[in-house]
Amino acid sequence: MPIEVTMCCPEVLVACRCQVPSLMLQPMASLPDLPRTEIAIIEMTNAFRRESKLAEVKPNAALTAAARAFAAYLANTGKFAHEADGRGPGERVVASGYRYCQVAENLAMNLDSRGFETRALARAVLEGWKGSPPHRANLLTPSATEIGVGLARAPDPDPKFISVQLFGRPQSLKVEFRIENQGGTPVRYVLGEEVHTLPPRTIVTHVSCDADRLTFENAGPALQRIEPHNGDRFVARSRTGGGIAIEPERR
């Protein structure tokens, strides 16, 4: 609440005219601890992922450096876009030393003349992302394993903060596997949501950042919705009487 202060001349002074001005002193705005806010955003993100039955993401130093640098750039320039500096999120994380298989980025801008407490700002940022379908999808990326968050205060009369959140899956976690059709008929299979047909006597190699489910048609229940691992090999052969037999070589 504004504070009303009454001022008057001291009685000991001669020829003093007493005045009673009303001075409205606004309380100082609350300012958050930005490193603690970053930690709180990560904690709240992981709580949201656990609610959705997803694995937690772990902080990564390179992703954090990229997020903080971009937050500072947006705050200092007044720009606000994923390619505001002429680069995309992938280029920025590579420049910070992160070799990625997958990367996603969320941005937020929060302003309040009253300021923010540390966890209140973190909640405001996360709730904004949860309420936006594209940002929510990034929060719930199943294949993400690492995270970096950076905040910066923008030069504004009122407390204004830019938040950058990066999700990553390192190149080392990519999944590469091979399917060989040694039979005389085409092999149909579904990888994730995509349907593929492999002609006879053909080999295909898939490289993916996602742990997509693999299903072979007409191959029996044992090969329904399997999760390929890096280095796996699946050999298809024609089965006597029709159908195909899949011989998996798992690593």
Side-chain angles (χ1 to χ4, degrees), residues 14-35:
V14 179
C16 176
R17 180 191 299 177
C18 185
Q19 299 181 5
V20 187
S22 182
L23 223 68
M24 305 299 287
L25 300 181
Q26 296 292 338
M28 292 185 63
S30 299
L31 295 178
D33 181 315
L34 295 188

Side-chain angles (χ1 to χ4, degrees), residues 70-92:
F70 193 46
Y73 176 86
L74 296 177
N76 292 330
T77 62
K79 298 179 180 180
F80 192 74
H82 290 288
E83 297 184 354
D85 63 349
R87 302 179 297 173
E91 294 171 284
R92 288 191 290 273

Side-chain angles (χ1 to χ4, degrees), residues 24-109:
M24 305 299 287
L25 300 181
Q26 296 292 338
M28 292 185 63
S30 299
L31 295 178
D33 181 315
L34 295 188
R36 290 184 180 276
T37 305
E38 294 169 354
I39 293 171
I41 288 175
I42 294 174
E43 292 174 349
M44 294 177 187
T45 296
N46 277 328
F48 184 47
R49 288 177 65 87
R50 288 195 301 271
E51 291 173 5
S52 303
K53 311 301 182 185
L54 294 174
E56 294 187 1
V57 284
K58 297 181 179 180
N60 176 274
L63 290 179
T64 299
R68 286 175 173 171
F70 193 46
Y73 176 86
L74 296 177
N76 292 330
T77 62
K79 298 179 180 180
F80 192 74
H82 290 288
E83 297 184 354
D85 63 349
R87 302 179 297 173
E91 294 171 284
R92 288 191 290 273
V93 301
V94 168
S96 290
Y98 189 80
R99 297 186 61 198
Y100 73 92
C101 188
Q102 186 178 54
V103 68
E105 182 181 77
N106 283 339
L107 303 180
M109 180 190 301

Side-chain angles (χ1 to χ4, degrees), residues 113-195:
S113 62
R114 298 165 298 180
F116 298 90
E117 298 293 344
T118 296
R119 292 192 68 83
L121 176 56
R123 280 193 297 271
V125 171
L126 200 72
E127 290 302 316
W129 287 335
K130 287 166 66 176
S132 165
H135 298 87
R136 186 184 184 94
N138 285 342
L139 290 170
L140 299 179
T141 302
S143 54
T145 59
E146 297 175 319
I147 187 173
V149 175
L151 273 78
R153 183 178 180 181
D156 192 277
D158 294 317
K160 177 180 177 181
F161 299 93
I162 305 297
S163 303
V164 177
Q165 182 183 53
L166 287 165
F167 292 97
R169 183 180 180 88
Q171 183 72 21
S172 60
L173 293 183
K174 72 176 181 180
V175 176
E176 182 174 332
F177 64 96
R178 186 168 65 179
I179 302 174
E180 300 180 16
N181 184 4
Q182 297 183 3
T185 59
V187 172
R188 284 175 56 86
Y189 61 96
V190 180
L191 181 60
E193 298 181 354
E194 296 183 357
V195 179

